[in-house]
């Protein structure tokens, strides 16, 4: 069994004058937080020791319909991510040398 070490991968590229940043958080050593309320604009942050990403309203201004749509997409994607993590975690052996899952089944 190979050992998977945590990492955060950040790249920046420029193509035809458009700058693109890609951030991959491949670590459980990070945090996800939401801020805002009482008339303040909302913020969603994902942070590790290597990188920090913030999502907030368009141009930092009033909440638009596109901002609401994006928030729904983030929520839906997060729910799918959670469901997949829970399913895969439940299917894993409790002990890597033992191929029995928490439900008593033999892991494939």
């Amino acid at each position: 069994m190979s050992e998977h070490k945590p990492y955060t991968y950040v790249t920046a590229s420029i193509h035809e004058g458009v700058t693109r940043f890609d951030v991959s958080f491949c670590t459980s050593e990070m945090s996800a937080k939401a801020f805002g309320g009482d008339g303040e604009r909302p913020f969603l942050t994902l942070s590790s020791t290597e990188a920090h990403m913030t999502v907030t309203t368009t141009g930092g201004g009033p909440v638009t319909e596109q901002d609401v749509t994006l928030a729904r997409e983030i929520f839906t994607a997060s729910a799918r991510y959670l469901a997949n993590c829970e399913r895969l975690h439940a299917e894993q052996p409790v002990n890597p040398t033992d191929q029995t899952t928490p439900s008593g089944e033999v892991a494939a």
Side-chain angles (χ1 to χ4, degrees), residues 87-98:
R87 177 183 54 78
L88 291 170
H89 184 262
E91 293 172 355
Q92 293 177 161
V94 175
N95 179 340
T97 60
D98 175 11

Side-chain angles (χ1 to χ4, degrees), residues 13 18 22 30 34 42-44 47 55 63 71-72 78 80 93 97 101:
S13 61
V18 176
D22 293 303
M30 61 180 295
F43 290 87
L44 172 66
S47 299
V55 177
V63 177
R72 285 188 186 120
S78 295
R80 282 194 307 267
T97 60
T101 66

Side-chain angles (χ1 to χ4, degrees), residues 2-9 24-29 50:
S2 67
E3 186 176 329
H4 299 282
K5 295 184 179 183
Y7 65 92
T8 299
Y9 190 71
S24 298
F25 292 103
C26 299
T27 178
S28 60
E29 297 177 11
E50 298 90 5

Side-chain angles (χ1 to χ4, degrees), residues 13-20:
S13 61
I14 301 173
H15 179 70
E16 296 181 1
V18 176
T19 303
R20 176 184 171 99

Side-chain angles (χ1 to χ4, degrees), residues 26-106:
C26 299
T27 178
S28 60
E29 297 177 11
M30 61 180 295
S31 66
K33 296 179 181 170
F35 302 95
D38 297 329
E40 297 177 21
R41 67 183 163 132
F43 290 87
L44 172 66
T45 65
L46 299 175
S47 299
S48 74
T49 56
E50 298 90 5
H52 180 87
M53 183 182 76
T54 300
V55 177
T56 191
T57 56
T58 303
V63 177
T64 67
E65 186 61 36
Q66 291 86 358
D67 295 323
V68 174
T69 298
L70 175 59
R72 285 188 186 120
E73 289 174 5
I74 291 170
F75 177 83
T76 300
S78 295
R80 282 194 307 267
Y81 177 72
L82 172 61
N84 284 326
C85 285
E86 289 175 335
R87 177 183 54 78
L88 291 170
H89 184 262
E91 293 172 355
Q92 293 177 161
V94 175
N95 179 340
T97 60
D98 175 11
Q99 293 299 307
T100 305
T101 66
S103 64
E105 299 173 11
V106 176

